[in-house]
Coordinates of all heavy atoms in Angstrom, one line a residue:
D5 N 6.1 9.2 6.5 CA 6.8 10.0 7.4 C 8.0 9.2 7.9 O 7.9 8.3 8.8 CB 5.9 10.5 8.6 CG 6.6 11.5 9.4 OD1 7.9 11.5 9.5 OD2 5.9 12.3 10.1
N6 N 9.1 9.4 7.3 CA 10.3 8.6 7.6 C 10.8 8.8 9.0 O 11.3 7.9 9.7 CB 11.4 8.8 6.6 CG 11.2 8.3 5.3 OD1 10.4 7.3 5.1 ND2 11.8 8.9 4.2
A7 N 10.6 10.0 9.6 CA 11.0 10.3 10.9 C 10.2 9.5 11.9 O 10.7 9.0 13.0 CB 10.8 11.8 11.2
K8 N 8.9 9.3 11.6 CA 8.0 8.5 12.5 C 8.0 7.0 12.1 O 7.4 6.2 12.8 CB 6.6 9.1 12.5 CG 6.5 10.5 13.0 CD 5.1 10.9 13.0 CE 4.9 12.3 13.5 NZ 3.5 12.8 13.5
N9 N 8.6 6.7 11.0 CA 8.6 5.3 10.5 C 7.2 4.8 10.2 O 6.8 3.7 10.5 CB 9.3 4.4 11.5 CG 10.3 3.5 10.8 OD1 10.9 3.8 9.8 ND2 10.6 2.4 11.4
T10 N 6.4 5.6 9.5 CA 5.0 5.3 9.2 C 4.7 5.6 7.8 O 5.3 6.4 7.2 CB 4.0 6.0 10.1 OG1 4.2 7.4 10.0 CG2 4.2 5.6 11.6
V11 N 3.6 4.9 7.3 CA 3.1 5.1 6.0 C 1.6 5.1 6.1 O 1.0 4.2 6.8 CB 3.5 4.0 5.0 CG1 2.9 4.3 3.6 CG2 5.0 4.0 4.9
D12 N 0.9 6.0 5.5 CA -0.5 6.2 5.6 C -1.2 6.0 4.2 O -0.6 6.3 3.2 CB -0.9 7.5 6.2 CG -0.5 7.6 7.7 OD1 -0.2 6.6 8.3 OD2 -0.6 8.8 8.2
L13 N -2.4 5.7 4.3 CA -3.3 5.7 3.1 C -4.6 6.4 3.4 O -5.4 5.8 4.2 CB -3.5 4.2 2.6 CG -4.3 4.1 1.2 CD1 -3.4 4.6 0.1 CD2 -4.7 2.7 1.0
Q14 N -4.8 7.5 2.8 CA -6.0 8.3 3.0 C -6.9 7.8 1.8 O -6.6 8.0 0.7 CB -5.7 9.8 2.9 CG -7.0 10.6 3.0 CD -7.7 10.5 4.3 OE1 -7.0 10.6 5.3 NE2 -9.0 10.3 4.3
M15 N -8.1 7.4 2.2 CA -9.1 6.8 1.3 C -10.3 7.7 1.3 O -11.0 7.8 2.4 CB -9.4 5.4 1.6 CG -8.2 4.5 1.5 SD -8.6 2.7 1.9 CE -8.9 2.9 3.7
N16 N -10.7 8.3 0.2 CA -11.8 9.1 0.1 C -12.8 8.6 -1.0 O -12.4 7.8 -1.8 CB -11.5 10.6 -0.3 CG -10.6 11.3 0.7 OD1 -10.7 11.0 1.9 ND2 -9.7 12.1 0.2
S17 N -14.0 9.0 -0.9 CA -15.1 8.6 -1.9 C -15.1 7.1 -2.0 O -15.1 6.5 -3.1 CB -14.8 9.2 -3.2 OG -14.9 10.6 -3.1
L18 N -15.1 6.4 -0.9 CA -15.0 4.9 -0.8 C -16.2 4.3 -1.5 O -17.4 4.8 -1.4 CB -14.9 4.4 0.6 CG -13.5 4.6 1.2 CD1 -13.6 4.5 2.7 CD2 -12.6 3.6 0.6
K19 N -16.0 3.2 -2.2 CA -17.0 2.4 -2.9 C -17.1 1.0 -2.3 O -16.1 0.5 -1.7 CB -16.6 2.3 -4.4 CG -16.4 3.7 -5.0 CD -15.9 3.5 -6.5 CE -15.7 4.8 -7.2 NZ -15.2 4.6 -8.6
P20 N -18.2 0.3 -2.4 CA -18.3 -1.0 -1.9 C -17.2 -2.0 -2.5 O -16.7 -2.9 -1.8 CB -19.7 -1.5 -2.4 CG -20.5 -0.2 -2.4 CD -19.5 0.8 -2.9
E21 N -16.8 -1.7 -3.7 CA -15.7 -2.6 -4.3 C -14.4 -2.3 -3.7 O -13.4 -3.0 -4.0 CB -15.7 -2.4 -5.8 CG -15.6 -0.9 -6.3 CD -16.9 -0.3 -6.7 OE1 -17.9 -0.6 -5.9 OE2 -17.0 0.3 -7.7
D22 N -14.2 -1.3 -2.8 CA -13.0 -1.1 -2.1 C -12.9 -2.0 -0.9 O -11.8 -2.1 -0.3 CB -12.9 0.3 -1.6 CG -12.7 1.3 -2.8 OD1 -12.0 1.0 -3.7 OD2 -13.4 2.4 -2.7
T23 N -13.9 -2.7 -0.6 CA -13.9 -3.7 0.6 C -12.9 -4.7 0.4 O -12.8 -5.4 -0.6 CB -15.3 -4.3 0.7 OG1 -16.3 -3.3 1.1 CG2 -15.2 -5.3 1.9
A24 N -12.0 -4.8 1.3 CA -10.9 -5.8 1.3 C -10.0 -5.7 2.5 O -10.2 -4.8 3.3 CB -10.0 -5.5 0.0
V25 N -9.1 -6.7 2.7 CA -8.1 -6.6 3.6 C -6.9 -5.8 3.0 O -6.4 -6.2 2.0 CB -7.6 -8.0 4.1 CG1 -6.4 -7.8 5.1 CG2 -8.7 -8.7 4.8
Y26 N -6.5 -4.7 3.7 CA -5.4 -3.9 3.2 C -4.2 -4.2 3.9 O -4.1 -4.2 5.1 CB -5.8 -2.4 3.3 CG -6.8 -1.9 2.3 CD1 -8.1 -2.3 2.4 CD2 -6.5 -1.1 1.3 CE1 -9.1 -1.9 1.4 CE2 -7.4 -0.7 0.3 CZ -8.7 -1.1 0.4 OH -9.6 -0.7 -0.5
S27 N -3.1 -4.5 3.2 CA -1.8 -4.8 3.7 C -0.7 -3.8 3.2 O -0.8 -3.4 2.1 CB -1.4 -6.2 3.4 OG -2.3 -7.1 3.8
C28 N 0.2 -3.4 4.1 CA 1.3 -2.6 3.7 C 2.5 -3.5 3.5 O 2.6 -4.6 4.1 CB 1.6 -1.5 4.7 SG 2.1 -2.0 6.3
A29 N 3.4 -3.1 2.7 CA 4.6 -3.9 2.3 C 5.8 -3.0 2.1 O 5.7 -1.8 1.7 CB 4.3 -4.7 1.1
A30 N 7.0 -3.5 2.3 CA 8.2 -2.8 2.2 C 9.2 -3.6 1.3 O 9.3 -4.8 1.4 CB 8.9 -2.5 3.5
G31 N 9.8 -2.9 0.3 CA 10.7 -3.5 -0.6 C 11.8 -2.6 -1.1 O 11.7 -1.4 -1.0
L32 N 12.8 -3.2 -1.7 CA 13.9 -2.4 -2.2 C 14.0 -2.5 -3.8 O 14.8 -1.8 -4.4 CB 15.2 -2.9 -1.7 CG 15.4 -2.8 -0.1 CD1 16.7 -3.5 0.3 CD2 15.5 -1.3 0.2
R33 N 13.2 -3.3 -4.4 CA 13.2 -3.5 -5.8 C 12.3 -2.5 -6.5 O 11.5 -1.8 -5.9 CB 12.8 -4.9 -6.2 CG 13.6 -6.0 -5.5 CD 13.1 -7.4 -5.8 NE 13.3 -7.8 -7.1 CZ 14.4 -8.4 -7.6 NH1 15.4 -8.6 -6.8 NH2 14.4 -8.7 -8.9
A34 N 12.5 -2.4 -7.8 CA 11.8 -1.3 -8.6 C 10.4 -1.6 -9.1 O 9.7 -0.7 -9.5 CB 12.7 -1.0 -9.8
G35 N 10.0 -2.9 -9.1 CA 8.7 -3.3 -9.6 C 7.6 -3.0 -8.6 O 7.1 -3.9 -8.0
V36 N 7.2 -1.8 -8.4 CA 6.4 -1.4 -7.3 C 5.0 -1.9 -7.4 O 4.3 -2.0 -6.4 CB 6.3 0.2 -7.2 CG1 7.7 0.7 -6.9 CG2 5.8 0.8 -8.5
R37 N 4.5 -2.3 -8.6 CA 3.1 -2.8 -8.7 C 3.0 -4.3 -8.5 O 1.9 -4.8 -8.5 CB 2.6 -2.4 -10.1 CG 2.3 -0.9 -10.2 CD 1.8 -0.6 -11.6 NE 1.3 0.8 -11.7 CZ 2.1 1.9 -11.9 NH1 3.4 1.7 -12.0 NH2 1.6 3.1 -11.9
S38 N 4.1 -5.0 -8.3 CA 4.1 -6.4 -8.2 C 4.4 -6.8 -6.7 O 5.4 -6.3 -6.1 CB 5.2 -7.1 -9.1 OG 5.3 -8.5 -8.8
H39 N 3.6 -7.7 -6.2 CA 3.7 -8.1 -4.8 C 5.0 -8.9 -4.6 O 5.6 -9.0 -3.5 CB 2.6 -8.9 -4.3 CG 2.4 -10.3 -5.0 ND1 1.8 -10.5 -6.2 CD2 2.9 -11.5 -4.6 CE1 1.9 -11.7 -6.5 NE2 2.5 -12.4 -5.6
R40 N 5.5 -9.5 -5.7 CA 6.8 -10.2 -5.7 C 8.0 -9.4 -5.4 O 9.0 -9.9 -5.0 CB 7.0 -11.0 -7.0 CG 5.9 -12.0 -7.3 CD 6.2 -12.7 -8.6 NE 5.2 -13.7 -9.0 CZ 5.2 -14.4 -10.1 NH1 6.2 -14.3 -10.9 NH2 4.3 -15.3 -10.3
E41 N 7.9 -8.1 -5.5 CA 9.0 -7.2 -5.3 C 9.2 -6.7 -3.9 O 10.1 -6.0 -3.6 CB 8.9 -6.0 -6.3 CG 8.8 -6.3 -7.7 CD 10.1 -7.0 -8.3 OE1 11.2 -6.8 -7.6 OE2 10.0 -7.6 -9.3
Y42 N 8.3 -7.1 -3.0 CA 8.3 -6.7 -1.6 C 8.8 -7.8 -0.7 O 8.3 -9.0 -0.8 CB 6.9 -6.2 -1.2 CG 6.5 -4.9 -2.0 CD1 5.9 -5.0 -3.2 CD2 6.7 -3.7 -1.4 CE1 5.6 -3.9 -3.9 CE2 6.4 -2.5 -2.1 CZ 5.8 -2.6 -3.3 OH 5.4 -1.5 -4.0
S43 N 9.6 -7.4 0.2 CA 10.2 -8.4 1.1 C 9.5 -8.5 2.5 O 9.5 -9.6 3.1 CB 11.7 -8.0 1.4 OG 12.4 -7.9 0.2

């Protein structure tokens, strides 16, 4: 929601292997699957 300046992640059917620290990131580059592309 750009108006609110927020990003959400809805997680359903959670599994034990989903256990982790979840971090959000912002970037301007195109390699969206690489953490190196986020500033």
Side-chain angles (χ1 to χ4, degrees):
D5 188 333
N6 289 334
K8 296 180 179 179
N9 229 25
T10 58
V11 180
D12 292 345
L13 185 69
Q14 177 66 47
M15 301 179 287
N16 299 325
S17 301
L18 283 163
K19 305 174 181 179
E21 51 262 44
D22 293 320
T23 296
V25 174
Y26 285 71
S27 301
C28 65
L32 296 172
R33 303 175 69 88
V36 297
R37 290 178 171 83
S38 174
H39 70 273
R40 296 180 179 180
E41 302 294 340
Y42 293 84
S43 300

